Structure formats: C-alpha cells, structure tokens
Amino acid sequence: MSDEKPIEDKTINEPVTSPEAAPKRGIEREDAQPTPDPPVHLDKPYVLKQTSGMWGKGSPDTSGFAGMQRTIEANGVAQRPYGGWFDEVADRLEQLVPGFSTGRVLVHRDEITFFVVPEQITSVMRQLRDDPALRFEICMSVSGVHYPEQEGEELHVVYHLLSITHNRRIRLEVALPDGHPHVDSVVATYPMADYHERETWDMFGIIFDGHPGLTRILMPDDWAGHPQRKDYPLGGIPVEYKGATVPPPDQRRSY
C-alpha cells in the first residue's frame, strides 16, 4: 500500500481567510460556481424609461400606434438572498466598504450588478482587487450608457470585473447626473481601464477625475459633442466625399 496521503478535496465555495489559503491555480470546470437561485423581485420596479408612440416621441409615426404608452423596466431587480456566492461577495464588500451600495442590485441571467455610490468607486475597486476573499484581478471593460429620461441619473458608468482566482464575474454600475458627470478614475487600481475610460469620455462625455490623460480616442480632438448619447443627431454630419451629405433620419424618406 502507498504511504502517500490522499489529496484534500477543496471546492471554490470554501471561504478564503488569508492570501496563503487562496487557490494557487485556475479552477477546473467541474469546480465552477453553481447557478444562483432566482432573485426575489421587489414590489417597486426599477424603471429605465417611458416611451410614447411606436417609434418614440417626436418621430414621424405613421404606424397608427402614436398613442401607445410603454414603461420599460430593468430585469432582475432583487433583494436578499441573491443566491449562490452573490451574497458572499455582497457581505464582504459591505464589511470592507460600509455604505458602498445605493441599495439597488440587479440579478439577471446568472449575473449580478451592484449600483455603487460614486464617491466609493475607487475604494470598492481596490478591495475587489486586493481582498483574498474577493480577488477580482481584471477589469474587463469600462463603458457608458445614456438614459435621458432618468432625471439626475442620466449617465451610467458600467464596470465588468473578472476573478481568475475564484472563477467569478460581477458588474458594477455608477449613476451620474448629466449636469455634473464626474467620477473618480480607476486607472490607479486597474491600469487596463485607461483606454476604456478615454473611450467612455469620448462617446458619452463622462469625466474621470484623476485620469492620467483624458483625451479623445476615437473622434478628433476638436470634435464637438459625444456621439453615443441618445440626444446626439444620427445624421446631418457633412461627409467629405464628392460633396455628399448624410441627412437626418426624419429626412431620408417621405411617407
């Protein structure tokens, strides 16, 4: 008989109490996190916007649905228990950065989104990266969203984080007012967010305070406006090609 001791079985669900106890290699597929339980929906939904007519307010609607009123709500508005390891991450973040959340959490299609208080984003990011129980080593992307109908929260910044150590993904979201679209840069914590924040500034006009070089990355430096905002014109920009122009959408055809 062999004198070798059996290898101790470890699962990804075991709490990590110190850096030494953290996994030292990638998690195998069979050790992946189970699908979280379905979220519990709140009585009051999170309304994204309200629209009128088939094609939106102000359009040349000839469909006969001009009087249609629609309320578009966010999917997965949830309260505890979120299910699976989502509660572990939420509890740990609350311990490390008390009051980090606005109280709004979305759980949809096995993904969780925490809405973070803008002033807490750098502290939250640092703890997500460094704490052994969290260890989200990679910020996969930083992007923007424009909701013109949400008064006081028109511009959102969305962060996608990946933990290689624990094989987990989460999303953070920060809501900002159009009149003061400022949030601290996370480049000091995640250097790979440099170009992502530049693109978000270029396309949406969100200002990342403390960024090492917040300049346009897609549009020319002297470009006016931010093209991915919902109130930006979709056409009418002169095109220097044999004198051609692109007319606005409502002038491209007559009904």
Side-chain angles (χ1 to χ4, degrees):
M1 297 178 61
S2 174
D3 295 331
E4 294 182 0
K5 295 182 179 180
I7 299 176
E8 183 180 357
D9 292 330
K10 291 186 178 295
T11 67
I12 195 171
N13 292 319
E14 295 181 11
V16 178
T17 56
S18 67
E20 292 74 19
K24 298 299 189 296
R25 60 179 181 174
I27 304 299
E28 300 298 332
R29 183 69 180 179
E30 56 267 26
D31 292 331
Q33 286 293 334
T35 301
D37 298 328
V40 179
H41 291 270
L42 296 174
D43 294 334
K44 190 174 182 180
Y46 173 37
V47 177
L48 295 176
K49 65 178 180 179
Q50 294 178 330
T51 63
S52 59
M54 175 66 80
W55 311 110
K57 186 177 181 181
S59 67
D61 191 347
T62 61
S63 64
F65 291 94
M68 179 183 290
Q69 303 291 326
R70 291 188 299 167
T71 298
I72 300 176
E73 302 172 357
N75 291 315
V77 179
Q79 62 183 358
R80 290 179 179 273
Y82 304 136
W85 51 266
F86 292 166
D87 293 281
E88 299 173 21
V89 172
D91 291 340
R92 186 58 177 163
L93 274 177
E94 191 59 47
Q95 292 175 2
L96 297 170
V97 190
F100 81 95
S101 174
T102 65
R104 185 184 301 161
V105 177
L106 305 181
V107 179
H108 185 58
R109 296 184 182 274
D110 299 341
E111 296 180 345
I112 188 165
T113 302
F114 295 100
F115 279 74
V116 178
V117 176
E119 294 77 16
Q120 298 279 24
I121 188 61
T122 53
S123 299
V124 169
M125 287 292 199
R126 195 172 301 113
Q127 296 295 346
L128 284 168
R129 184 194 66 180
D130 295 342
D131 185 74
L134 300 173
R135 198 68 79 191
F136 285 88
E137 301 96 340
I138 301 177
C139 179
M140 301 293 293
S141 70
V142 180
S143 57
V145 189
H146 186 206
Y147 297 107
E149 301 85 358
Q150 294 187 14
E151 185 176 355
E153 294 185 343
E154 292 87 355
L155 292 168
H156 291 209
V157 187
V158 184
Y159 307 84
H160 292 83
L161 303 181
L162 168 65
S163 170
I164 298 177
T165 300
H166 302 297
N167 192 23
R168 296 172 174 176
R169 294 176 185 265
I170 65 170
R171 184 185 298 111
L172 305 181
E173 194 159 338
V174 173
L176 304 170
D178 193 4
H180 189 74
H182 286 257
V183 66
D184 290 334
S185 170
V186 300
V187 171
T189 304
Y190 293 106
M192 64 191 72
D194 187 337
Y195 293 161
H196 296 244
E197 290 185 351
R198 284 181 58 191
E199 182 176 354
T200 304
W201 145 249
D202 193 359
M203 295 290 103
F204 293 92
I206 297 170
I207 301 170
F208 294 90
D209 296 326
H211 189 281
L214 195 62
T215 58
R216 291 191 183 271
I217 192 171
L218 298 176
M219 308 304 291
D221 290 338
D222 59 350
W223 192 265
H226 304 281
Q228 286 192 343
R229 288 199 182 197
K230 298 292 179 60
D231 53 4
Y232 192 83
L234 297 178
I237 306 299
V239 179
E240 296 183 6
Y241 179 73
K242 296 182 180 180
T245 60
V246 180
D250 58 350
Q251 298 177 11
R252 293 177 190 173
R253 66 172 69 178
S254 59
Y255 292 93

